[in-house]
């Protein structure tokens, strides 16, 4: 499937346009409007409690963080999303693989895949990916997976099962993952 290859960065489509780096970054979840969010632009003076999170996220982005996952948890406005975009930008600038999206957007993609797959089967041309294929792709991609606003997705049994499948597979494989959330440890 071309979409999965394109989003994981394993294949670059043929293009004559000079805007491919910008389009590729947007596909991977880091639009040009967020390119200014870097580790250097993060104001540690305004958010001194984020010093350890800043250092750990830098290490994760560089591939030097040993554990498989970092969870940035805190209230609104603490800089979690800035650090997530900083990690994406670090990877983008060095042409290292990453995928970034919000947890609600991931759930939307999986739900839309149900309808796309049904329509595809009805037309007798099973071309669209169903949610199982998307879960498998996000579970197995070696790219750094960045899920922003984890916990903001609609809390249903199905959504929980899909997220568990993705995160558990990434844990088992030791694939690097970054989550941001406004939830506390007990709520997670």
């Amino acid at each position: 499937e071309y979409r999965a290859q394109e989003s994981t960065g394993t294949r670059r489509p043929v293009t004559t346009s000079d805007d491919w780096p910008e389009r590729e970054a947007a596909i991977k979840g880091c639009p040009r409007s967020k390119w200014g969010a870097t580790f250097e632009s993060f104001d540690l003076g305004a958010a001194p409690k984020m010093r350890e999170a800043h250092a750990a996220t830098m290490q994760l982005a560089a591939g030097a963080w040993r554990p498989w996952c970092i969870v940035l948890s805190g209230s609104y406005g603490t800089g979690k999303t800035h650090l997530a975009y900083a990690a994406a930008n670090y990877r983008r600038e060095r042409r290292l693989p990453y995928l970034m999206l919000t947890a609600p957007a991931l759930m939307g993609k999986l739900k839309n895949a149900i309808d796309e797959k049904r329509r595809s089967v009805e037309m007798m041309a099973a071309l669209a990916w169903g949610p199982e294929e998307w879960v498998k792709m996000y579970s197995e991609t070696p790219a750094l997976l960045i899920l922003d606003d984890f916990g903001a997705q609609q809390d249903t049994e199905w959504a929980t099962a899909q997220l568990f499948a993705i995160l558990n597979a990434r844990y088992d494989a030791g694939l690097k993952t970054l989550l941001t959330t406004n939830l506390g440890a007990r709520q997670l």
Side-chain angles (χ1 to χ4, degrees):
E1 170 69 24
Y2 178 75
R3 286 186 296 179
Q5 291 174 346
E6 182 175 289
S7 65
T8 58
T10 58
R11 181 174 146 202
R12 181 177 175 190
V14 176
T15 181
T16 57
S17 174
D18 290 335
D19 69 344
W20 172 246
E22 188 172 332
R23 289 188 302 133
E24 179 183 36
I27 290 166
K28 292 179 178 182
C30 190
R32 186 175 202 61
S33 64
K34 301 298 183 184
W35 288 9
T38 64
F39 292 116
E40 295 77 22
S41 69
F42 189 82
D43 187 358
L44 285 168
K49 292 182 178 180
M50 294 297 282
R51 188 170 306 280
E52 287 182 46
H54 181 272
T57 305
M58 278 180 55
Q59 289 178 22
L60 180 71
W65 185 254
R66 193 148 166 79
W68 75 282
C69 184
I70 290 178
V71 178
L72 300 177
S73 176
S75 60
Y76 294 98
T78 56
K80 301 176 304 292
T81 297
H82 182 112
L83 289 176
Y85 275 114
N89 279 314
Y90 181 95
R91 308 274 300 181
R92 177 186 56 78
E93 290 167 358
R94 288 156 184 81
R95 306 207 43 82
L96 298 170
Y98 71 93
L99 288 171
M100 181 173 178
L101 66 164
T102 65
L106 172 61
M107 289 298 98
K109 182 177 280 197
L110 296 179
K111 287 178 184 175
N112 289 339
I114 294 170
D115 292 334
E116 289 176 21
K117 183 75 169 191
R118 185 180 321 116
R119 282 192 298 273
S120 176
V121 170
E122 288 170 358
M123 295 184 328
M124 291 189 227
L127 302 175
W129 275 21
E132 303 83 13
E133 290 90 358
W134 283 109
V135 166
K136 183 174 173 52
M137 192 276 291
Y138 284 110
S139 297
E140 296 178 355
T141 181
L144 171 62
L145 178 62
I146 304 168
L147 284 179
D148 193 23
D149 290 332
F150 189 81
Q153 71 279 354
Q154 190 175 16
D155 192 19
T156 65
E157 189 175 318
W158 182 83
T160 301
Q162 303 314 303
L163 286 170
F164 177 80
I166 291 168
L167 295 176
N168 191 58
R170 293 186 69 79
Y171 167 76
D172 286 346
L175 297 172
K176 302 299 183 196
T177 307
L178 174 62
L179 305 175
T180 73
T181 184
N182 294 323
L183 302 178
R186 286 183 185 239
Q187 293 169 305
L188 282 175

